[in-house]
Amino acid sequence: MNLWIKNGHLLDPANRCDEICDIYIKEGKVAGIGSLSSDAEMENVTVIDASGKYVMPGFLDLHVHLREPGFEYKETIRTGTAAAAKGGFTAVCPMPNTKPSTDSPEMVQKILDIAEKDSKIHVYPVGAVTKGQMGEEMTDIAGMVKAGAKAISEDGKSVMNAGLYREAMREAAKAGIPVLAHCEDKNMVGNGAMNAGEKADSLGIEGITNAVEDVIVARDILLAKETGAALHLCHCSTKDSVSMIRFAKEQGVEVSGEVCPHHFAMTEDEIPADDANYKMNPPLRSKEDVDMLCQGLSEGVMEVISTDHAPHGEEEKKKSMAEAPFGIVGSETAYALAVTHLVKKGYLTPMQLVERMSTNPCRILGVPGGNLSVGMPADITIADMDSVYEIDKDTFVSKGKNTPFHGARVQGRVYYTIVGGEIVYQYNGGR
Ligand code: DOR
Ligand code: ZN
Ligand code: ZN
């Protein structure tokens, strides 16, 4: 199928294109940009009227949990990638904390096989750092990369043994893939379920201090410096994480950082009660932290917006904060939360939003995409930044409905998600 996307506002940071124009897609690739005059070229074409909307290189979510295999009641590769497509993502990186965990070339292959039949968007598997994520024995990193893993991560936890992690970083550097780091010192968290401080005290809930994250961020930066590994810090939530990343970059360390929408859009003060839909790891932080995360995103110190989409069953999330699992869904709300809390508040230009959600993630992962140059695969997100509506969890296609943003008023809607020239999601009314 050939596509003619007409009159959209093209945002392509790689080509510094920020203007209204047409895009022509032929055989799954970008074939032309600008005003198309020759009607002969338009044979067999589907026309998309993109007036009043932005046309952007497809978003890549560097951090999702698709739960398959092992936790299909929470999510599957089919439902999780459909949710991502609805959110404007043309590619996702599923984390390895499945059951069994994605810790071998065979498991990486299994994820790819399921994705091949069930997913309409790209799935780039992330391999575990240690076998079974037990923190004891390193996985076959080179083998997993050969099978198709695009990164390694122990997400869900940190590798507490720094010697072992250093060895894995060396292997990752050798294989040319980044290390995606979940930063949390297991020995410091106790039963913490939300940010430590007055709010936690008032709700009678055990707290998680900033240092739980910060000490591992510091350690991992130093390990990256020593090994030369490309380090990507997941779901940064504290002001000192931002400062340390800024400092490390100044030292020439190959480090990048991601911020999730819940961490820039909400503070701990907005937790109304003991409600596990507000429980995620790392937790919602103080206003001071949130301000610094927005500042970091604005300056480009924080290069990536990713979701940490973490679906859970309804029963599990009905439990108290102390007992429920960590995590909230994010695929279907990320774009609107980013528009509402970053673009509309002046932290990011529309172009910078595209960099944080598409161009930078693609570069960090070393995969195609992130730009709409002629000849590139036609992975495209078409969305506006004006539509106003309320987030409604009952419209989610994800199996997970666990969000603290139900009822939140936002701006920005995804209209089309296109992968390899094929429309994989199209908005057709409703919320
Ligand atoms: O909130 C979270 N949920 N943080 C994590 O690190 C893990 C994730 C999950 O797997 O549910
Ligand atoms: Zn994590
Ligand atoms: Zn995660």
Side-chain angles (χ1 to χ4, degrees):
M1 182 171 64
N2 301 329
L3 283 180
W4 181 11
I5 303 170
K6 271 173 106 164
N7 292 321
H9 186 143
L10 179 60
L11 289 175
D12 185 1
N15 292 300
R16 293 169 188 263
C17 185
D18 189 349
E19 61 194 59
I20 296 188
C21 61
D22 290 0
I23 303 189
Y24 183 45
I25 291 149
K26 205 172 168 176
E27 284 153 16
K29 297 206 164 79
V30 178
I33 288 170
S35 297
L36 299 170
S37 49
S38 151
D39 282 350
E41 274 204 301
M42 306 304 162
E43 271 172 44
N44 238 333
V45 81
T46 302
V47 175
I48 293 177
D49 177 13
S51 17
K53 301 180 177 73
Y54 289 102
V55 178
M56 304 168 275
F59 303 153
L60 162 57
D61 193 345
L62 282 182
H63 194 145
V64 299
H65 297 272
L66 299 180
R67 307 299 192 204
E68 187 177 358
F71 303 99
E72 287 83 353
Y73 71 96
K74 297 179 197 255
E75 193 80 290
T76 62
I77 290 177
R78 183 188 294 278
T79 57
T81 55
K86 186 171 165 219
F89 295 98
T90 54
V92 292
C93 292
M95 287 297 181
N97 60 342
T98 46
K99 203 164 97 189
S101 47
T102 314
D103 65 352
S104 65
E106 293 73 27
M107 284 304 298
V108 169
Q109 188 58 54
K110 184 179 166 113
I111 302 287
L112 287 170
D113 288 345
I114 301 171
E116 174 74 29
K117 73 179 165 53
D118 288 352
S119 173
K120 293 179 176 169
I121 65 171
H122 304 288
V123 172
Y124 299 123
V126 179
V129 180
T130 70
K131 292 188 181 160
Q133 293 191 262
M134 300 301 285
E136 282 157 15
E137 205 183 330
M138 198 166 76
T139 53
D140 173 9
I141 294 168
M144 292 193 296
V145 172
K146 213 168 153 203
K150 297 290 183 209
I152 53 165
S153 178
E154 197 83 328
D155 191 55
K157 51 176 107 167
S158 292
V159 177
M160 290 310 300
N161 180 335
L164 182 58
Y165 205 33
R166 179 172 65 176
E167 197 48 41
M169 280 202 192
R170 286 200 187 107
E171 284 298 307
K174 237 192 278 169
I177 54 154
V179 178
L180 315 182
H182 168 114
C183 299
E184 176 191 17
D185 189 317
K186 170 176 116 187
N187 304 305
M188 292 169 70
V189 279
N191 287 319
M194 63 178 281
N195 190 42
E198 279 173 29
K199 185 76 192 192
D201 293 346
S202 75
L203 292 171
I205 290 167
E206 201 173 317
I208 301 170
T209 63
N210 283 25
V212 170
E213 172 173 326
D214 297 338
V215 293
I216 301 293
V217 167
R219 182 199 76 170
D220 287 2
I221 286 171
L222 294 169
L223 292 176
K225 185 174 178 182
E226 184 170 311
T227 60
L231 175 68
H232 177 75
L233 298 164
C234 298
H235 44 51
C236 296
S237 73
T238 69
K239 59 182 196 299
D240 288 326
S241 285
V242 179
S243 303
M244 287 189 276
I245 292 172
R246 187 185 284 115
F247 178 74
K249 280 171 179 271
E250 283 164 10
Q251 307 293 304
V253 181
E254 196 176 344
V255 59
S256 56
E258 76 189 20
V259 187
C260 303
H262 45 276
H263 289 130
F264 64 66
M266 207 174 240
T267 70
E268 60 178 345
D269 303 316
E270 291 167 78
I271 302 175
D274 184 345
D275 179 347
N277 283 321
Y278 293 81
K279 178 181 182 180
M280 72 296 283
N281 190 10
L284 298 173
R285 299 288 191 184
S286 70
K287 180 166 187 310
E288 235 186 309
D289 291 303
V290 173
D291 286 347
M292 185 66 139
L293 292 171
C294 293
Q295 198 56 43
L297 279 164
S298 179
E299 289 171 23
V301 173
M302 309 307 283
E303 297 177 74
V304 172
I305 296 168
S306 68
T307 67
D308 197 6
H309 176 76
H312 290 292
E314 212 166 324
E315 291 304 315
E316 295 169 297
K317 280 300 213 177
K318 270 194 198 146
K319 294 182 183 168
S320 66
M321 269 181 116
E323 286 172 308
F326 286 99
I328 62 165
V329 290
S331 301
E332 294 167 78
T333 51
Y335 174 75
L337 289 171
V339 169
T340 307
H341 291 273
L342 298 174
V343 177
K344 297 298 176 185
K345 290 183 182 170
Y347 288 109
L348 294 182
T349 62
M351 189 68 110
Q352 287 170 326
L353 178 77
V354 176
E355 284 172 2
R356 309 289 182 272
M357 295 188 75
S358 175
T359 314
N360 295 341
C362 288
R363 190 195 72 243
I364 288 162
L365 202 65
V367 296
N371 72 81
L372 291 174
S373 306
V374 170
M376 285 299 291
D379 295 350
I380 296 173
T381 304
I382 302 177
D384 74 8
M385 299 197 187
D386 303 316
S387 300
V388 180
Y389 60 98
E390 278 177 16
I391 290 173
D392 179 355
K393 66 183 166 64
D394 298 318
T395 65
F396 290 173
V397 303
S398 167
K399 285 192 188 183
K401 315 293 175 197
N402 46 311
T403 177
F405 294 105
H406 179 65
R409 218 173 160 70
V410 289
Q411 258 184 298
R413 189 190 301 285
V414 174
Y415 285 87
Y416 290 91
T417 307
I418 298 166
V419 175
E422 194 201 330
I423 298 169
V424 298
Y425 168 75
Q426 181 174 353
Y427 174 69
N428 45 23
R431 284 202 275 192

